[in-house]
Amino acid sequence: MNMSKRFGWLAAIALIGCGPRPQSLADPDLLAEIQAIRAIDNHAHPVRVVGAGEQPDRGFDALPVDNMEPQSDPVNLRPGAPAVVDAARALYGAKPKPQTIQEKGADYPAWVLDQMGVETMLANRVEMGSSIQPPRFRWVPYADALIFPLDNAKLAARNSDRKSFFGLEDQLRGRYLQAVGMTAVPATLGDYLTRVVTPTLERQKQGGAVAEKFEAAYLRSLAFDPVERATADRIYAQFAGKSAPSETDYKPLEDFLFRYIAAECGRLGMAVHLHTTAGAGGYFDVTGTNPLLLESVLNDPGLRKTKFVMLHGGWPYIREIASLLTKPNAWLDFSQQSLELTPPTLAKSLREWLEFVPEKVMFATDAYPYSNEMGWEESGWVAARAGRQALAIALTGMMRDGEISRARASELARMVLRENAKRLYGI
């Protein structure tokens, strides 16, 4: 190579090195603004502080997943995941976690929310606790046990996970019966509705519930078909207090009860929350969580007063769930996705939803006590950070492509992080 060519080659390299640097995925100023917004967490499972000599808190879920057969965990949920290390360092510094809990006492759960940048958390719990109370925590109890009032032996026989889950649902239904002064379900469906189902929902509403949660996707598909009352009456009378129905015989009664509960929630001013994503366990039926299975429910004229929130954003059915947002009674959040997916991956779904019906999209973490290393505190912190980053990336892309202004990006950020939930629940 002659000298002139060599110097020209070096000059070209120098020019490349001095060229414009690649833009960051998220606008730094927008990200900083998003990080400062006090959020409403639409879905989480906080754990109450227990005193000396008390049993560990198990009220954080009607169907805890820690007794299931092993599965292949997502990378972000595996022991030693970098994000979990970051969370522990941010939350506790050099202190042992138990020391922080002891120092904060009953204020510990609210302190965790402060570290997450969360003003209000919707707490999916069987019951609330002394350290988990309004206004920082709003109650979302469970309604699944009410749609399975018969002998569930044949439903539980499908696999070990369902055996465990239906055992837990039977226990919870027993608690609901005891609360209304019963030890067994009534002989007729009419009595079951008026003496058990409606009083249970009314009691939970009076206790501060803003929504009812269905984990039904762990127990059956989300295809809740319309069923005539006479059909439900017949099935109930045939099996109540008698033999266990098959899945085929049972389903119409379950479908009727789901829609009855949903209608009652609308009457009482409570939303209905539904698990809509791939769930824990190696037996989980992912196909049964397709949000499109809910379309007949959303189209039911008798349920138009009920607000349905599809939790977890329907992954992997991202576009299917987006198509439902035009329904006047449908919302979604992106809990769990913000914990299991990277911010750039989640940002793609967020952008698609925000370009379509942005006032129906809500921030949530699905904070959950997955393990000793990743408690509800660490998982909530990780999901809150990743969710905000994903939101910033999505909005930055929309700004750079000329779809929205900087002012509109700020407005959308506040909508997703808090304003949409405030309007939905009247917080």
Side-chain angles (χ1 to χ4, degrees):
M1 179 183 296
N2 62 39
M3 291 298 291
S4 61
K5 288 183 178 180
R6 184 170 184 271
F7 284 127
W9 177 70
L10 291 172
I13 293 177
L15 286 173
I16 293 173
C18 294
R21 295 181 180 179
Q23 289 181 308
S24 62
L25 292 176
D27 178 86
D29 292 336
L30 178 60
L31 177 59
E33 179 183 340
I34 286 173
Q35 289 172 333
I37 297 172
R38 299 273 285 177
I40 296 175
D41 187 341
N42 185 69
H43 173 70
H45 300 261
V47 178
R48 67 180 179 86
V49 175
V50 297
E54 287 188 82
Q55 293 294 319
D57 177 26
R58 299 292 293 172
F60 58 83
D61 197 350
L63 301 178
V65 300
D66 49 7
N67 292 323
M68 304 175 75
E69 289 189 23
Q71 68 173 69
S72 299
D73 291 330
V75 171
N76 280 358
L77 300 184
R78 295 178 185 177
V84 182
V85 176
D86 290 345
R89 185 182 300 113
L91 289 168
Y92 312 115
K95 290 183 181 179
K97 179 176 178 178
Q99 181 180 341
T100 302
I101 296 175
Q102 184 177 16
E103 290 175 353
K104 302 295 180 182
D107 295 330
Y108 175 72
W111 174 83
V112 173
L113 297 195
D114 292 337
Q115 313 316 302
M116 293 168 55
V118 168
E119 179 180 281
T120 306
M121 174 177 280
L122 270 60
N124 265 214
R125 290 185 54 86
V126 174
E127 59 186 9
M128 300 291 267
S130 57
S131 57
I132 299 178
Q133 288 290 320
R136 301 298 300 275
F137 296 91
R138 301 298 180 98
W139 190 25
V140 181
Y142 295 88
D144 299 278
L146 295 172
I147 69 172
F148 298 101
L150 308 178
D151 185 337
N152 294 308
K154 291 183 179 179
L155 305 186
R158 174 175 287 198
N159 56 60
S160 60
D161 289 347
R162 287 199 178 180
K163 181 179 180 180
S164 172
F165 286 156
F166 275 107
L168 292 167
E169 295 292 9
D170 289 343
Q171 292 177 26
L172 184 56
R173 187 179 64 256
R175 292 177 60 173
Y176 290 165
L177 288 169
Q178 184 179 20
V180 295
M182 294 185 181
T183 58
V185 297
T188 68
L189 178 59
D191 280 348
Y192 178 65
L193 298 177
T194 58
R195 297 176 60 192
V196 180
V197 177
T198 292
T200 299
L201 299 175
E202 290 176 341
R203 176 175 56 83
Q204 292 173 339
K205 170 66 175 181
Q206 292 167 2
V210 298
E212 290 285 340
K213 167 72 180 297
F214 282 93
E215 297 180 291
Y218 279 95
L219 307 166
R220 48 154 292 163
S221 84
L222 296 181
F224 294 104
D225 300 319
V227 174
E228 295 293 331
R229 170 66 183 266
T231 300
D233 278 326
R234 176 182 57 77
I235 296 171
Y236 190 95
Q238 180 180 353
F239 293 103
K242 303 170 187 175
S243 59
S246 67
E247 291 192 42
T248 301
D249 288 334
Y250 209 155
K251 184 180 182 298
L253 177 60
E254 298 163 16
D255 294 351
F256 173 85
L257 287 170
F258 173 83
R259 289 184 182 232
Y260 177 88
I261 292 169
E264 285 291 86
C265 286
R267 178 180 69 84
L268 294 168
M270 293 190 291
V272 170
H273 287 191
L274 291 134
H275 177 105
T276 62
T277 189
Y283 292 112
F284 189 89
D285 180 12
V286 180
T287 305
T289 67
N290 188 332
L292 290 182
L293 295 173
L294 295 168
E295 189 165 26
S296 71
V297 171
L298 299 172
N299 287 346
D300 187 338
L303 297 177
R304 277 296 165 91
K305 292 183 179 179
T306 304
K307 300 171 181 178
F308 294 91
V309 183
M310 298 172 286
L311 308 180
H312 317 308
W315 187 91
Y317 302 102
I318 300 301
R319 288 197 163 170
E320 288 83 348
I321 202 169
S323 69
L324 297 175
L325 290 180
T326 57
K327 309 289 185 183
N329 52 351
W331 284 257
L332 66 78
D333 74 30
F334 52 89
S335 57
Q336 189 173 324
Q337 290 195 51
S338 54
L339 181 62
E340 297 182 354
L341 304 178
T342 65
T345 300
L346 174 56
K348 296 175 183 177
S349 302
L350 274 175
R351 177 168 177 173
E352 190 164 332
W353 299 334
L354 294 176
E355 290 174 343
F356 195 51
V357 187
E359 64 274 12
K360 299 292 196 69
V361 181
M362 295 183 291
F363 166 87
T365 63
D366 199 17
Y368 193 94
Y370 292 94
S371 64
N372 290 333
E373 181 186 33
M374 181 181 269
W376 77 275
E377 311 94 317
E378 291 86 358
S379 59
W381 188 93
V382 170
R385 180 181 68 169
R388 292 172 190 272
Q389 291 172 341
L391 179 59
I393 292 170
L395 293 173
T396 298
M398 294 168 70
M399 285 195 305
R400 288 174 178 167
D401 289 344
E403 296 177 18
I404 58 174
S405 65
R406 177 64 175 79
R408 178 59 172 165
S410 295
E411 181 183 17
L412 288 173
R414 290 190 61 82
M415 287 168 59
V416 171
L417 286 167
R418 56 182 293 115
E419 299 305 322
N420 291 344
K422 283 182 66 177
R423 282 192 291 269
L424 175 60
Y425 302 109
I427 296 176

